[in-house]
C-alpha cells in the first residue's frame, strides 16, 4: 500500500507562480495611470492658456462664448491629433502630447495582450492534458505565442519605463535625472538584446551518452531476443543499442553522441551492470517497458517537444537576466509551470502503460521484481559512491564495481524491509517515473515487505548479460574510466574540505591551490592556500581574517579583522591587462578557504550529533 501523499497545494502554486505573474501588469498599469494624469494635466494647462487668450481677444460675445464652450468640452490632446491644428504649436508641445498619446496606447496594448495571451495559453494548457499529440500541438502553439508576446512586452515595457524615468520627475518635480534615464535605457536595451539573441539562437538537443554501441556480430542471440520482445510490444527494433554502466535503461529518438560520433534514429540504452543483476524474465520486463515507449510514440513526441522545452528554458534565463525582462519572466514561468503539470501527467500515464505492456510480456510478479531490483540497485550504487566520496583521503582505487557486485544481494534483501521504498523513483535521463509503490500497485502486485523480500531473495542470473559478446571487457573498461574520473573529482574536492593540519592534507591542498605570484608595476601579489600579500602591505593577510572584498573605482579593498577592523587597498590598474586575473585569483583562493571552513564546522556538528545520539 502506498503512503498517503500530500494533496496539490493550489495556494502554494498561487504564491509561487500566479501572484508573481501578475507583475506583468505593474508597468503598463502604472504607465496608463501616469500618462492619463500627465495628459490631463497638460490639457488643463493648455485649456486655461487658450481660454485666457480667448477672453483677451476682441471677439463678439457670441463668438467668444462659442469658442469658450468648444475648448472647454474638447481637450487639447484630442485636438492635437489633427495635423493642421497641431501645426500651430511648437514642436516640443506637439512632441509632449504625442508622447502621452502613444504611451497610453502602448499601456493599453500591453494590458490587453496580456489578458488575451493569458486566456489563449491557458486554453492550450487545458487542451494539452488530453493526449501526447494534443500536448505537443498545444505546447508548440503556446510557445510560439508566448515567445512573440514576451518579445513585444519587453520592447513595450522598456519604452514605458524609459518614458516614465523622465516624465515622473519632470512633471511632479520640474526636473529630470540623466542617470535615472540612462539606467532605464540600459535595462530596456539589455532586455531587448537578450531576447533577440534567444529568438535566433539554434536549439541543439543532442544528448551525450557514456557507452559503447553494440555490434550485432557476436551478440546475435541478444538481438534475436530483443526482436522477439519488439514483436510482442508491436514496434520495430531500435536503430542502435548502446550498452553502458549507468544505473538505468532508456529509449530515445533524440540524437545521441557516443564516443564523439552522433547517432540518429531510435536508440535503446541498456545497462550492463543491471543486466548482470537481473533474472532473464526481469530483464524481459525492463526491456519490454522501454520498447513499449516506441510503440506508444512516447519517444517521438519527446523528440518533438524537447526543442520547445529547451527553447522555453533558455528564453526564461534571458528574460531573468534581461533587465526589464524580469517582470515578463514571471509571467512566462507561470505558464512553464502549468505546462510542466501537463507534461508530468502525460509522463505518468505513459509509464503506467509501458508497465502494463511489460507485465503482459512477462508476468506482473516478474515485472514487480524488475522494478524492485533496478530501484534497489540504483539506491545501493548511490550509497556506495556517496560513502566513497565522503572519504577524507586520496583514493588509491575506487573499486565501485567490486563493492556493488559483492554487496548488492545482501543489500537487496535489506532494501525490501525498508519502510519508505514505496516513494522511491527509478532514475531516467529523459523522463520522470511515478513512485515505486504506485507502479507496483498498477501492475497488480501491491508493495509490502513480505512481497518485496520474496521477489528479491534470489540473486539474478544475468542471462541477458551473457548474451552480449565481450560484456565483461566492455563493462570493465567503462568502470575503469568512470572510477578514474571519480577519483580525480574526489581528490579535487578534498582541497575544498581541508584546513591543513597534516603534511598529507597540506600536499592535497597545495596540489590544487599552489602558491602563485602576480606581477604588477608597483610590486607583486603573492597568494597561497592560507594568505595573500602585496609588496607594499606591512604584513600578509590571512583568509581567516578577511571579512569582505570589493572593487570600487578600479581599487580592490580588502577588509579584515586584526586588533580591530582594518582595510588594505590594491590598485588594479598596476596590473594592466591582468586586472581580472588578480580579482578572480583572489576570489578563487579566498572562496576555497571559506568552503573548507564551513565544511569543518559542519563536520564537527555532525560528529557532535552522532556522539550525542550514541550516548
Amino acid at each position: 500500500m502506498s503512503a498517503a501523499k500530500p494533496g496539490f497545494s493550489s495556494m502554494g502554486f498561487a504564491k509561487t507562480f500566479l501572484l508573481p505573474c501578475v507583475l506583468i501588469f505593474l508597468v503598463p498599469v502604472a504607465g496608463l495611470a501616469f500618462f492619463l494624469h500627465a495628459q490631463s494635466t497638460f490639457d488643463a494647462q493648455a485649456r486655461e492658456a487658450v481660454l485666457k487668450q480667448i477672453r483677451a481677444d476682441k471677439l463678439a460675445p457670441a463668438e467668444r462664448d462659442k469658442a469658450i464652450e468648444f475648448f472647454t468640452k474638447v481637450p487639447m490632446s484630442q485636438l492635437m491629433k489633427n495635423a493642421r491644428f497641431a501645426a500651430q504649436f511648437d514642436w516640443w508641445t506637439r512632441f509632449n502630447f504625442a508622447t502621452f498619446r502613444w504611451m497610453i496606447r502602448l499601456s493599453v496594448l500591453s494590458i490587453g495582450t496580456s489578458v488575451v495571451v493569458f486566456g489563449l495559453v491557458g486554453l492550450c494548457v487545458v487542451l494539452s492534458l488530453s493526449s501526447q499529440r494534443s500536448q505537443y500541438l498545444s505546447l508548440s502553439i503556446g510557445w510560439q505565442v508566448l515567445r512573440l508576446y514576451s518579445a513585444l512586452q519587453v520592447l513595450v515595457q522598456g519604452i514605458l519605463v524609459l518614458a516614465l524615468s523622465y516624465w515622473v520627475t519632470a512633471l511632479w518635480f520640474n526636473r529630470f535625472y540623466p542617470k535615472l534615464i540612462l539606467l532605464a535605457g540600459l535595462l530596456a536595451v539589455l532586455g531587448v538584446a537578450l531576447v533577440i539573441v534567444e529568438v535566433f539562437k539554434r536549439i541543439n538537443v543532442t544528448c551525450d551518452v557514456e557507452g559503447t554501441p553494440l555490434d550485432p556480430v557476436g551478440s546475435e542471440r541478444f538481438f534475436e531476443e530483443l526482436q522477439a520482445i519488439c514483436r510482442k510490444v508491436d514496434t520495430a527494433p531500435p536503430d542502435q543499442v548502446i550498452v553502458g554502466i549507468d544505473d538505468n535503461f532508456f529509449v530515445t529518438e533524440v540524437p545521441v553522441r557516443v564516443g564523439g560520433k552522433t547517432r540518429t534514429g531510435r536508440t535503446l540504452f541498456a545497462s550492463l551492470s543491471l543486466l548482470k543483476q537481473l533474472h532473464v524474465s526481469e530483464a524481459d520486463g525492463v526491456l519490454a517497458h522501454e520498447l513499449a515507449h516506441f510503440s506508444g510514440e512516447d519517444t517521438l513526441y519527446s523528440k518533438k517537444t524537447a526543442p520547445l522545452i529547451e527553447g522555453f528554458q533558455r528564453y526564461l534565463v534571458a528574460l531573468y537576466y534581461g533587465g526589464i525582462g524580469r517582470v515578463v519572466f514571471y509571467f512566462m514561468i507561470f505558464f512553464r509551470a502549468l505546462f510542466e503539470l501537463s507534461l508530468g501527467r502525460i509522463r505518468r500515464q505513459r509509464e503506467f502503460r509501458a508497465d502494463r505492456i511489460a507485465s503482459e510480456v512477462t508476468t506482473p510478479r516478474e515485472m514487480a521484481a524488475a522494478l524492485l531490483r533496478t530501484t534497489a540497485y540504483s539506491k545501493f550504487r548511490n550509497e556506495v559512491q556517496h560513502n566513497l566520496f565522503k572519504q577524507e583521503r586520496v583514493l588509491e582505487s575506487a573499486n565501485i564495481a567490486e563493492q556493488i557486485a559483492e554487496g548488492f544481494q545482501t543489500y537487496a534483501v535489506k532494501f525490501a524491509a525498508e519502510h519508505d521504498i514505496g516513494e522511491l523513483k527509478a532514475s531516467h535521463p529523459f523522463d520522470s517515473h511515478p513512485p515505486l509503490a504506485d507502479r507496483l500497485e498498477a501492475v497488480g502486485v501491491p508493495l509490502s515487505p513480505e512481497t518485496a523480500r520474496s521477489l528479491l531473495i534470489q540473486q539474478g542470473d544475468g542471462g541477458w548479460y551473457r548474451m552480449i559478446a565481450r560484456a565483461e571487457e566492455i563493462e570493465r573498461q567503462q568502470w575503469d574510466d568512470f572510477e578514474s574520473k571519480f577519483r580525480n573529482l574526489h581528490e579535487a574536492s578534498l582541497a575544498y574540505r581541508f584546513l591543513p593540519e597534516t603534511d598529507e592534507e597540506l600536499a592535497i591542498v597545495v596540489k590544487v591551490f599552489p602558491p602563485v605570484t602576480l606581477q604588477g608595476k608597483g610590486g607583486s601579489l603573492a597568494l597561497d592556500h592560507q594568505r595573500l600579500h602585496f609588496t607594499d602591505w606591512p604584513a600578509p593577510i590571512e583568509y581567516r581574517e578577511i571579512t569582505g572584498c570589493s572593487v570600487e573605482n578600479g581599487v580592490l579593498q580588502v577588509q579584515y579583522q586584526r586588533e580591530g577592523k582594518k582595510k588594505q587597498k590594491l590598485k588594479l590598474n598596476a596590473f594592466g591587462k591582468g586586472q581580472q586575473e588578480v580579482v578572480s585569483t583572489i576570489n578563487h583562493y579566498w572562496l576555497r578557504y571559506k568552503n573548507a571552513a564551513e565544511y569543518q564546522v559542519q563536520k564537527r556538528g555532525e560528529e557532535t550529533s552522532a556522539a550525542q545520539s550514541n550516548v
Side-chain angles (χ1 to χ4, degrees), residues 125-145:
V125 172
V126 173
L127 294 175
S128 71
L129 297 171
S130 59
S131 68
Q132 292 197 89
R133 184 173 184 274
S134 296
Q135 184 181 79
Y136 165 67
L137 292 174
S138 298
L139 182 58
S140 181
I141 294 170
W143 162 233
Q144 297 302 332
V145 170

Side-chain angles (χ1 to χ4, degrees), residues 431-447:
D431 236 328
S432 59
H433 289 96
L436 179 61
D438 291 354
R439 297 180 70 184
L440 291 176
E441 192 165 344
V443 300
V445 185
L447 178 63

Side-chain angles (χ1 to χ4, degrees), residues 140-214:
S140 181
I141 294 170
W143 162 233
Q144 297 302 332
V145 170
L146 283 169
R147 183 166 62 171
L148 293 173
Y149 159 82
S150 62
L152 174 66
Q153 285 292 332
V154 169
L155 178 61
V156 168
Q157 296 206 22
I159 293 172
L160 286 171
V161 167
L162 184 60
L164 286 168
S165 68
Y166 169 78
W167 275 107
V168 168
T169 57
L171 182 66
W172 289 345
F173 306 107
N174 293 318
R175 60 183 303 180
F176 65 92
Y177 299 91
K179 288 185 178 180
L180 178 62
I181 298 171
L182 178 61
L183 177 61
L186 289 174
L187 290 175
V189 171
L190 178 62
V192 172
L194 288 179
V195 165
I196 290 175
V197 168
E198 286 303 321
V199 165
F200 293 101
K201 184 177 289 185
R202 183 181 176 183
I203 303 297
N204 183 10
V205 293
T206 301
C207 176
D208 288 303
V209 176
E210 295 288 339
T212 301
L214 189 58

Side-chain angles (χ1 to χ4, degrees), residues 492-505:
S493 76
L494 292 178
Y496 291 86
R497 304 189 213 178
F498 294 146
L499 297 176
E501 296 180 353
T502 65
D503 291 341
E504 182 182 0
E505 292 179 353

Side-chain angles (χ1 to χ4, degrees), residues 68-335:
I68 290 174
E69 182 182 4
F70 177 79
F71 284 103
T72 300
K73 288 183 177 181
V74 182
M76 184 64 67
S77 56
Q78 187 70 23
L79 295 172
M80 292 295 287
K81 295 179 182 178
N82 185 287
R84 292 180 60 185
F85 179 85
Q88 303 175 56
F89 298 87
D90 62 84
W91 74 271
W92 183 243
T93 301
R94 295 196 303 271
F95 176 77
N96 289 341
F97 275 104
T99 297
F100 301 152
R101 183 165 61 250
W102 279 103
M103 292 306 107
I104 291 169
R105 289 173 179 173
L106 289 177
S107 298
V108 172
L109 174 66
S110 177
I111 295 169
T113 54
S114 294
V115 172
V116 171
V117 168
F118 196 102
L120 178 61
V121 181
L123 178 62
C124 286
V125 172
V126 173
L127 294 175
S128 71
L129 297 171
S130 59
S131 68
Q132 292 197 89
R133 184 173 184 274
S134 296
Q135 184 181 79
Y136 165 67
L137 292 174
S138 298
L139 182 58
S140 181
I141 294 170
W143 162 233
Q144 297 302 332
V145 170
L146 283 169
R147 183 166 62 171
L148 293 173
Y149 159 82
S150 62
L152 174 66
Q153 285 292 332
V154 169
L155 178 61
V156 168
Q157 296 206 22
I159 293 172
L160 286 171
V161 167
L162 184 60
L164 286 168
S165 68
Y166 169 78
W167 275 107
V168 168
T169 57
L171 182 66
W172 289 345
F173 306 107
N174 293 318
R175 60 183 303 180
F176 65 92
Y177 299 91
K179 288 185 178 180
L180 178 62
I181 298 171
L182 178 61
L183 177 61
L186 289 174
L187 290 175
V189 171
L190 178 62
V192 172
L194 288 179
V195 165
I196 290 175
V197 168
E198 286 303 321
V199 165
F200 293 101
K201 184 177 289 185
R202 183 181 176 183
I203 303 297
N204 183 10
V205 293
T206 301
C207 176
D208 288 303
V209 176
E210 295 288 339
T212 301
L214 189 58
D215 188 345
V217 177
S219 302
E220 288 84 359
R221 188 176 169 207
F222 177 95
F223 283 93
E224 289 172 2
E225 294 294 332
L226 190 64
Q227 289 177 356
I229 295 178
C230 288
R231 289 192 291 271
K232 292 178 182 179
V233 302
D234 192 25
T235 187
D239 296 299
Q240 58 260 331
V241 176
I242 298 172
V243 292
I245 59 171
D246 285 355
D247 57 345
N248 56 61
F249 294 76
F250 64 83
V251 287
T252 184
E253 292 189 45
V254 171
V256 296
R257 188 164 39 243
V258 186
K261 181 180 179 181
T262 299
R263 295 173 178 264
T264 58
R266 306 198 308 174
T267 300
L268 165 66
F269 177 89
S271 170
L272 289 170
S273 303
L274 269 169
L275 285 176
K276 185 190 291 186
Q277 299 294 341
L278 294 171
H279 289 284
V280 169
S281 57
E282 294 171 352
D284 287 347
V286 172
L287 292 169
H289 170 100
E290 297 302 335
L291 295 169
H293 286 306
F294 285 144
S295 67
E297 296 188 324
D298 303 343
T299 53
L300 173 63
Y301 282 106
S302 291
K303 178 184 177 181
K304 289 182 175 182
T305 58
L308 300 176
I309 295 172
E310 177 66 18
F312 209 136
Q313 203 64 33
R314 291 186 180 184
Y315 212 73
L316 286 173
V317 173
L319 290 172
Y320 186 84
Y321 292 104
I324 195 63
R326 181 69 66 89
V327 293
V328 184
F329 162 82
Y330 291 112
F331 187 89
M332 293 282 282
I333 201 172
F334 169 69
F335 285 105

Side-chain angles (χ1 to χ4, degrees), residues 62 194 261 336 350 358 363 414 460 510 581 585:
L194 288 179
K261 181 180 179 181
R336 176 67 180 87
R350 65 194 194 186
T363 68
K414 176 185 173 185
V510 170
E581 181 185 4
T585 303

Side-chain angles (χ1 to χ4, degrees), residues 4-16:
K5 303 178 192 61
F8 174 75
S9 172
S10 57
M11 183 58 70
F13 186 88
K15 288 181 179 179
T16 304

Side-chain angles (χ1 to χ4, degrees), residues 516-528:
V516 295
T517 300
L518 303 174
Q519 194 67 42
K521 292 180 180 179
S524 60
L525 177 68
L527 302 93
D528 60 23

